[in-house]
Amino acid sequence: MAPGLLDLVHLTTWAVCAVIKLPQLVAVLRAGSAWGLSVSSLLLELAGLLVFLRYQIYYGYPLETYLEFPVVIAQDAILLGCIMHFSGKVRRAFFYAGVFWVGWYMLTLQKWIIDLAMNLCTFISAASKLVQLQHLWETKDSGQASALTWGLSVYASATRIITTVMTTKDLAVLIRFIVMLILNIWVTATILHYRKTKKTD
């Protein structure tokens, strides 16, 4: 892949991720409700993103291969705050923030910890998607879940497969993005299915 094309893939990924959670945030704020969203899914996603970002930094990977992650993490933190606010559990959000903060520093105490965490990161991130899927299946209602946000996640996962192959060639990272791509497609399709089912009822 030509360097110019690789730069374009990086830029479009950053642009998508700069707004990736905004459709979800808008839906939650408009409705004044987080119905259809799983707090457990969001917490697992945040944990996976934090581990992944820490791993990239620890191994000194090029900034352009993970530049979007701090922005996505910030958007997830805001979304979590909104969910906690609408469910009347704001204090619990501070507890979660403390746990994530401590975890961020503990990840790099030893090399084996960050390596193990990265290997578990794929399972944690996959679990976040599976928990959201389970929530959708149980309620049979997409609620405020944004198909656009999940569709943007599909794009970001696909482009990161390309950039990983072209830059770091890290197998653990590549496997993570392939798994995320498959699960993001599945969640998007499920949201669209329940949205269509709801409209036809």
mmCIF file of all heavy atoms in Angstrom, residues 77-94:
data_model
loop_
_atom_site.group_PDB
_atom_site.id
_atom_site.type_symbol
_atom_site.label_atom_id
_atom_site.label_comp_id
_atom_site.label_asym_id
_atom_site.label_seq_id
_atom_site.Cartn_x
_atom_site.Cartn_y
_atom_site.Cartn_z
ATOM 1 N N ALA A 77 -16.176 7.592 28.356
ATOM 2 C CA ALA A 77 -16.290 8.066 29.737
ATOM 3 C C ALA A 77 -17.477 9.030 29.877
ATOM 4 O O ALA A 77 -18.243 8.960 30.851
ATOM 5 C CB ALA A 77 -14.989 8.738 30.177
ATOM 6 N N ILE A 78 -17.656 9.908 28.900
ATOM 7 C CA ILE A 78 -18.796 10.834 28.919
ATOM 8 C C ILE A 78 -20.099 10.055 28.791
ATOM 9 O O ILE A 78 -21.070 10.320 29.515
ATOM 10 C CB ILE A 78 -18.663 11.891 27.795
ATOM 11 C CG1 ILE A 78 -17.474 12.810 28.081
ATOM 12 C CG2 ILE A 78 -19.955 12.691 27.646
ATOM 13 C CD1 ILE A 78 -17.067 13.675 26.901
ATOM 14 N N LEU A 79 -20.133 9.078 27.890
ATOM 15 C CA LEU A 79 -21.322 8.241 27.724
ATOM 16 C C LEU A 79 -21.635 7.489 29.011
ATOM 17 O O LEU A 79 -22.800 7.428 29.435
ATOM 18 C CB LEU A 79 -21.130 7.273 26.563
ATOM 19 C CG LEU A 79 -22.298 6.341 26.236
ATOM 20 C CD1 LEU A 79 -23.570 7.138 25.918
ATOM 21 C CD2 LEU A 79 -21.940 5.438 25.066
ATOM 22 N N LEU A 80 -20.614 6.947 29.657
ATOM 23 C CA LEU A 80 -20.815 6.249 30.929
ATOM 24 C C LEU A 80 -21.377 7.207 31.975
ATOM 25 O O LEU A 80 -22.299 6.850 32.722
ATOM 26 C CB LEU A 80 -19.503 5.629 31.416
ATOM 27 C CG LEU A 80 -19.581 4.867 32.739
ATOM 28 C CD1 LEU A 80 -20.516 3.666 32.622
ATOM 29 C CD2 LEU A 80 -18.183 4.415 33.171
ATOM 30 N N GLY A 81 -20.847 8.429 32.004
ATOM 31 C CA GLY A 81 -21.378 9.438 32.933
ATOM 32 C C GLY A 81 -22.849 9.729 32.685
ATOM 33 O O GLY A 81 -23.642 9.845 33.623
ATOM 34 N N CYS A 82 -23.236 9.835 31.416
ATOM 35 C CA CYS A 82 -24.644 10.072 31.064
ATOM 36 C C CYS A 82 -25.524 8.897 31.497
ATOM 37 O O CYS A 82 -26.606 9.096 32.058
ATOM 38 C CB CYS A 82 -24.802 10.304 29.561
ATOM 39 S SG CYS A 82 -24.134 11.854 28.977
ATOM 40 N N ILE A 83 -25.047 7.694 31.236
ATOM 41 C CA ILE A 83 -25.812 6.505 31.623
ATOM 42 C C ILE A 83 -25.984 6.470 33.141
ATOM 43 O O ILE A 83 -27.082 6.206 33.647
ATOM 44 C CB ILE A 83 -25.128 5.219 31.109
ATOM 45 C CG1 ILE A 83 -25.211 5.153 29.586
ATOM 46 C CG2 ILE A 83 -25.753 3.976 31.733
ATOM 47 C CD1 ILE A 83 -24.381 4.032 28.967
ATOM 48 N N MET A 84 -24.901 6.733 33.855
ATOM 49 C CA MET A 84 -24.966 6.732 35.319
ATOM 50 C C MET A 84 -25.903 7.840 35.820
ATOM 51 O O MET A 84 -26.660 7.641 36.765
ATOM 52 C CB MET A 84 -23.569 6.910 35.918
ATOM 53 C CG MET A 84 -22.666 5.739 35.701
ATOM 54 S SD MET A 84 -23.274 4.320 36.614
ATOM 55 C CE MET A 84 -22.694 3.016 35.602
ATOM 56 N N HIS A 85 -25.859 8.980 35.173
ATOM 57 C CA HIS A 85 -26.741 10.093 35.551
ATOM 58 C C HIS A 85 -28.207 9.704 35.369
ATOM 59 O O HIS A 85 -29.022 9.896 36.271
ATOM 60 C CB HIS A 85 -26.412 11.336 34.721
ATOM 61 C CG HIS A 85 -27.414 12.435 34.866
ATOM 62 N ND1 HIS A 85 -27.489 13.223 35.995
ATOM 63 C CD2 HIS A 85 -28.391 12.861 34.027
ATOM 64 C CE1 HIS A 85 -28.486 14.085 35.840
ATOM 65 N NE2 HIS A 85 -29.035 13.893 34.655
ATOM 66 N N PHE A 86 -28.541 9.157 34.207
ATOM 67 C CA PHE A 86 -29.941 8.823 33.931
ATOM 68 C C PHE A 86 -30.436 7.631 34.748
ATOM 69 O O PHE A 86 -31.634 7.462 34.919
ATOM 70 C CB PHE A 86 -30.159 8.585 32.438
ATOM 71 C CG PHE A 86 -30.064 9.848 31.631
ATOM 72 C CD1 PHE A 86 -29.188 9.932 30.570
ATOM 73 C CD2 PHE A 86 -30.842 10.959 31.943
ATOM 74 C CE1 PHE A 86 -29.078 11.108 29.823
ATOM 75 C CE2 PHE A 86 -30.748 12.140 31.207
ATOM 76 C CZ PHE A 86 -29.860 12.208 30.150
ATOM 77 N N SER A 87 -29.500 6.814 35.244
ATOM 78 C CA SER A 87 -29.915 5.689 36.082
ATOM 79 C C SER A 87 -29.782 6.007 37.569
ATOM 80 O O SER A 87 -30.037 5.155 38.415
ATOM 81 C CB SER A 87 -29.116 4.431 35.727
ATOM 82 O OG SER A 87 -27.745 4.637 36.000
ATOM 83 N N GLY A 88 -29.387 7.249 37.885
ATOM 84 C CA GLY A 88 -29.281 7.675 39.279
ATOM 85 C C GLY A 88 -28.111 7.060 40.027
ATOM 86 O O GLY A 88 -28.153 6.916 41.248
ATOM 87 N N LYS A 89 -27.038 6.723 39.319
ATOM 88 C CA LYS A 89 -25.885 6.068 39.942
ATOM 89 C C LYS A 89 -24.598 6.839 39.683
ATOM 90 O O LYS A 89 -23.563 6.250 39.369
ATOM 91 C CB LYS A 89 -25.759 4.634 39.413
ATOM 92 C CG LYS A 89 -26.966 3.776 39.720
ATOM 93 C CD LYS A 89 -26.838 2.414 39.090
ATOM 94 C CE LYS A 89 -28.102 1.609 39.348
ATOM 95 N NZ LYS A 89 -28.083 0.337 38.646
ATOM 96 N N VAL A 90 -24.638 8.138 39.847
ATOM 97 C CA VAL A 90 -23.481 8.985 39.537
ATOM 98 C C VAL A 90 -22.286 8.635 40.411
ATOM 99 O O VAL A 90 -21.146 8.608 39.940
ATOM 100 C CB VAL A 90 -23.851 10.479 39.679
ATOM 101 C CG1 VAL A 90 -22.636 11.363 39.478
ATOM 102 C CG2 VAL A 90 -24.945 10.834 38.690
ATOM 103 N N ARG A 91 -22.519 8.329 41.680
ATOM 104 C CA ARG A 91 -21.396 8.004 42.578
ATOM 105 C C ARG A 91 -20.639 6.771 42.109
ATOM 106 O O ARG A 91 -19.427 6.685 42.278
ATOM 107 C CB ARG A 91 -21.908 7.792 44.002
ATOM 108 C CG ARG A 91 -22.317 9.072 44.660
ATOM 109 C CD ARG A 91 -22.676 8.868 46.084
ATOM 110 N NE ARG A 91 -23.141 10.128 46.654
ATOM 111 C CZ ARG A 91 -23.855 10.211 47.730
ATOM 112 N NH1 ARG A 91 -24.205 9.118 48.388
ATOM 113 N NH2 ARG A 91 -24.232 11.379 48.186
ATOM 114 N N ARG A 92 -21.349 5.831 41.532
ATOM 115 C CA ARG A 92 -20.703 4.616 41.047
ATOM 116 C C ARG A 92 -19.735 4.948 39.914
ATOM 117 O O ARG A 92 -18.715 4.288 39.749
ATOM 118 C CB ARG A 92 -21.755 3.614 40.581
ATOM 119 C CG ARG A 92 -21.162 2.239 40.368
ATOM 120 C CD ARG A 92 -22.185 1.199 40.086
ATOM 121 N NE ARG A 92 -23.053 1.012 41.228
ATOM 122 C CZ ARG A 92 -24.102 0.225 41.224
ATOM 123 N NH1 ARG A 92 -24.433 -0.436 40.138
ATOM 124 N NH2 ARG A 92 -24.843 0.084 42.300
ATOM 125 N N ALA A 93 -20.020 5.980 39.137
ATOM 126 C CA ALA A 93 -19.126 6.384 38.046
ATOM 127 C C ALA A 93 -17.765 6.793 38.591
ATOM 128 O O ALA A 93 -16.730 6.496 37.984
ATOM 129 C CB ALA A 93 -19.752 7.520 37.241
ATOM 130 N N PHE A 94 -17.745 7.454 39.747
ATOM 131 C CA PHE A 94 -16.470 7.844 40.350
ATOM 132 C C PHE A 94 -15.675 6.618 40.805
ATOM 133 O O PHE A 94 -14.457 6.589 40.690
ATOM 134 C CB PHE A 94 -16.703 8.804 41.522
ATOM 135 C CG PHE A 94 -17.200 10.144 41.090
ATOM 136 C CD1 PHE A 94 -18.495 10.540 41.374
ATOM 137 C CD2 PHE A 94 -16.381 11.017 40.380
ATOM 138 C CE1 PHE A 94 -18.971 11.775 40.958
ATOM 139 C CE2 PHE A 94 -16.834 12.252 39.959
ATOM 140 C CZ PHE A 94 -18.135 12.634 40.247
#
